[in-house]
Amino acid sequence: MDRVVRHLVFWVIYCTYFYIQSLAPRTIAEFGNSDTYYFAWLNLCCFGPVFIFAVYFSIYYLLPKTLADKKYALFLFYFLLLYATGSYVNYFMAGIFLSHVHYSTPVENNFRHRIEFGNYNTRWGMVIAIIAIGIKLTKTWYLQQKENLEILKKKNRTAIQLQKARLHPDFLLRSLDTIYTNIQSGSGKAPSIILNLSDLLSYSLYENGKELVPLEREIGQLNNFIALEQQGKAGTINMHLQTGSVTNSLYIVPLVIIKILEETTALLHTREQTVCLQTLQVATEKNQVSITLLIHPLYNEPGGIPNWSYIVENTQRRLLEYYSPNDFQIDLSENEQETGLRLHLTLADAPGMQAPAFNINTKTVAYDRV
């Protein structure tokens, strides 16, 4: 229905323009003569069918059969053939038109005048056909860009979801090793460790498909992550979670905070350190959440301070998939005694969120219906 309306609007606008330009009074007095307007109407009725045929033949045959396949020589041939056919038809339509008009300056209904009228009005038809092809190409390009945008959105969203769902392999191996060690030793901690890991895996696999989750849910999984890490090798990495006043009605993208702590922990496990203390502070104020991660390491190896900017870059990339740059601020401060990673993030107060837009490249053009 919308397509029919668009076509009707197009032809109403063009026919109105063609009718107005067909008004041909020879004197001022002829503006008051009804024949002036009748002749313009007759001109539209006689030559309009060629316009319509030229337009629809161009957009439904020439465009998909020649231009879409880059057959430019064939397009030119058919376009000239269309012009010749239109001129032939309009030659006879000009005879009908000239036999019914009687201008104050007479125009004889002869071969020369028929050729002139027919050729002139056929050119109008070819011009409007070219305009229609341009409109069609523009519309097709816009729809293709829109389709490509949706595809890239889905691709990026899928990639981000996979990245969020993928816990670091070393973390999983350490957790499984801890479970195995506790089972072998007969420790009663094994069931609670299994429950912690199960809950965290369930959260990473199923909750990450949601755009937003309650902030309390994210913090709860932080406790599971910390509990699993603390069951590992004693004295290697100690973690503390400090939560201030947390508003109950705020929602966050799942695994945002967990991935920060997971990546920093994975980076620390690659180093040879005697003791490392990580303190994670989470507090909210209105619709803002402040996340501060303080790391106090003591290094044995001469490598010095790790490359924490890697964590910052990964966090920024993940956040930009869901938040605008104005919605968050991330800062890094580091020295030999302490590394501080601070994130201020504006949260939503409802579990709904719009995905960002992406710039993409075009792909093969597919012509759809106008």
Side-chain angles (χ1 to χ4, degrees), residues 338-354:
E338 178 185 88
T339 297
L341 182 64
R342 295 171 178 82
L343 171 64
H344 302 280
L345 179 63
T346 301
L347 301 183
D349 55 5
M353 194 177 193
Q354 296 296 325

Side-chain angles (χ1 to χ4, degrees), residues 57 60 63 72 77 92 97 108 114 147 172 184 232 243 297:
F57 180 79
Y60 288 125
L63 186 57
Y72 302 118
F77 170 76
F92 295 99
F97 173 75
E108 295 183 10
R114 288 181 183 180
E147 180 183 353
L172 292 175
Q184 288 292 99
T243 56

Side-chain angles (χ1 to χ4, degrees), residues 10 68 75 91 137 144 153 160 217 252 315 338 344 358:
F10 173 81
F75 169 78
Y91 170 81
L137 286 173
Q144 195 64 60
K153 280 183 181 180
I160 290 299
R217 178 74 169 139
I252 191 171
T315 302
E338 178 185 88
H344 302 280
F358 302 96

